Amino acid sequence: MAEKTNKRYCGIGGQAVLEGVMMKNKDKYAVAVRKPDGKIEDKVDEYKSSADKNKFFKLPFIRGVFNFWDSLVLGTKCLNYSASFYEDEEKEETKADKAVNKISDGNSEGVFSFLTVALSMVVAIALFMVLPYFLANLLKVYVRNDSLLALLEAVIRIVILLIYVTAISLMKDIRRVYMYHGAEHKCINCIERGRELNVENVRKSSRQHKRCGTSFLLFVVFISAVLFFFIRVDSPFLRVAIRILLIPVIAGIAYEIIRLAGKSDNILVSILSAPGMLLQKLTTKEPDDDMIEVAIASVEAVFDWKQYFKETFHYDVDDAAQIMEESEKVSRELEEEA
């Protein structure tokens, strides 16, 4: 098949998990995991977005907030599922489990997942929103200009993000997650470029993608820098409060930019996406073929890429394979006659 040059949005997205990949297509998602025995286990389920509860929640700049929350909740659920294959032994139910099960009518796992997401949000807000403000505030003795302080806060926020991403990449398990992250991106890029989904084509595809969560985080940092530069108050308490209260606004704007970037090859969009694509060199690593196989299994569990090729590229993979097979058969017969 001739390589496609124009990238087409396919609508699927994913996430790397422990020794596996999660892929989501509309309300359906699949988690494929390479088990300790080497076999691939995949699970297909449905996840209804919280934005489906009200049409208002699907409006531009509003939907991004709910999409971000859904990503955290579903991501945590899939990580817990993948980790379950690598637990040394079945954990006994603790007193806390029993108590929460009793209160939540047997849904302790859901409650603990919610608490995990909530705690992650608190830590992220403290680390990337509040801490940079206080660190920049320490420089007020040397820097009297408020505009310069706002810029320094933005720089500190970016530095903290880079240190965090680099530091966790040194962990062995996280490095493997980054490799699966690369496999996830490569599969999506392979499909959106119109290349047949197989290990060879996926391996040749790029491991960077404009719709990546890494790019989303970087957009959050840049957008927050702009908003905090123009929105100023005198009270230190209000400054911290504004940084926290504006998070949904920042997330909503960042989501719309990421959504646009995933559907457009416009030069301006490409320039805006460049820093995030560069940062993805840290959060994605080149996967091995076994990891690519897992990512392909996850894609095929929720997405009919062959039908997508017919509708988008007007290319029938099965017909092309049959023509190729018949051509090779004729070539062999001619060689035998000769």
Side-chain angles (χ1 to χ4, degrees):
M1 176 184 176
E3 184 175 310
K4 306 295 179 186
T5 55
N6 294 325
K7 192 173 182 179
R8 305 291 181 86
Y9 174 74
C10 70
I12 63 172
Q15 170 188 315
V17 296
L18 185 64
E19 295 301 324
V21 172
M22 180 274 286
M23 288 287 186
K24 187 172 185 291
N25 179 30
K26 298 178 181 177
D27 291 335
K28 199 174 181 182
Y29 74 92
V31 190
V33 179
R34 179 78 68 179
K35 298 192 296 183
D37 63 6
K39 295 180 181 178
I40 298 175
E41 177 87 9
D42 63 74
K43 170 190 174 184
V44 180
D45 205 344
E46 286 191 358
Y47 181 85
K48 292 287 185 180
S49 171
S50 51
D52 290 338
K53 298 175 182 177
N54 193 310
K55 289 183 179 180
F56 174 76
F57 297 158
K58 292 184 177 182
L59 293 175
F61 301 104
I62 301 294
R63 59 191 174 191
V65 180
F66 294 94
N67 183 273
F68 178 57
W69 176 259
D70 288 335
S71 297
L72 289 174
V73 173
L74 180 58
T76 301
K77 182 178 181 180
C78 293
L79 277 170
N80 290 338
Y81 172 75
S82 64
S84 68
F85 290 99
Y86 289 86
E87 293 173 351
D88 294 333
E89 56 185 28
E90 191 70 26
K91 293 190 295 185
E92 293 184 10
E93 191 176 45
T94 65
K95 290 182 179 180
D97 290 326
K98 292 176 181 178
V100 175
N101 263 324
K102 188 175 181 180
I103 296 170
S104 63
D105 198 21
N107 189 32
S108 65
E109 184 179 348
V111 172
F112 283 120
S113 291
F114 174 83
L115 292 175
T116 300
V117 172
L119 180 61
S120 300
M121 284 288 292
V122 171
V123 172
I125 291 169
L127 187 61
F128 298 114
M129 289 295 171
V130 180
L131 180 60
Y133 165 72
F134 283 111
L135 291 177
N137 210 41
L138 293 175
L139 300 174
K140 285 186 81 172
V141 179
Y142 309 100
V143 181
R144 300 292 183 180
N145 187 289
D146 288 342
S147 296
L148 183 56
L149 269 178
L151 291 175
L152 286 173
E153 181 184 341
V155 171
I156 291 171
R157 190 170 286 111
I158 293 171
V159 170
I160 290 175
L161 177 62
L162 292 175
I163 291 173
Y164 173 80
V165 168
T166 304
I168 66 171
S169 69
L170 299 176
M171 300 167 62
K172 182 181 176 181
D173 288 343
I174 296 298
R175 182 173 179 81
R176 288 190 63 80
V177 170
Y178 281 177
M179 292 171 75
Y180 276 105
H181 190 193
E184 174 225 327
H185 281 188
K186 280 174 172 282
C187 277
I188 296 174
N189 278 321
C190 181
I191 293 169
E192 292 186 338
R193 290 291 184 189
R195 301 169 187 150
E196 294 178 35
L197 191 65
N198 55 50
V199 173
E200 182 181 356
N201 286 339
V202 171
R203 194 191 308 119
K204 291 186 293 186
S205 299
S206 172
R207 72 174 198 262
Q208 278 86 48
H209 198 283
K210 290 179 181 177
R211 286 189 286 119
C212 176
T214 302
S215 295
F216 174 83
L217 287 177
L218 201 56
F219 276 125
V220 165
V221 170
F222 288 146
I223 293 164
S224 65
V226 174
L227 292 181
F228 298 159
F229 183 85
F230 290 104
I231 301 174
R232 301 179 191 176
V233 291
D234 293 330
S235 168
F237 173 78
L238 286 178
R239 288 175 190 169
V240 174
I242 284 173
R243 278 154 179 73
I244 296 173
L245 293 174
L246 281 178
I247 288 173
V249 178
I250 294 167
I253 297 171
Y255 175 78
E256 296 304 323
I257 296 175
I258 285 289
R259 184 182 173 90
L260 174 64
K263 297 181 177 181
S264 173
D265 283 327
N266 180 282
I267 187 168
L268 178 59
V269 173
S270 297
I271 291 171
L272 288 173
S273 301
M277 300 285 275
L278 189 62
L279 184 58
Q280 286 176 47
K281 290 184 178 293
L282 291 176
T283 61
T284 62
K285 303 294 180 185
E286 284 296 330
D288 58 34
D289 287 356
D290 286 346
M291 293 174 174
I292 291 174
E293 287 176 358
V294 173
I296 290 175
S298 185
V299 171
E300 293 186 327
V302 292
F303 185 72
D304 188 347
W305 60 272
K306 292 183 179 181
Q307 183 61 33
Y308 167 78
F309 276 17
K310 286 181 183 178
E311 296 172 356
T312 308
F313 299 107
H314 310 294
Y315 175 79
D316 193 312
V317 176
D318 294 328
D319 284 352
Q322 185 177 352
I323 291 171
M324 183 67 72
E325 186 179 340
E326 291 175 355
S327 177
E328 290 176 353
K329 182 180 178 181
V330 170
S331 296
R332 284 195 299 270
E333 289 175 352
L334 289 174
E335 287 176 2
E336 289 173 1
E337 289 178 4

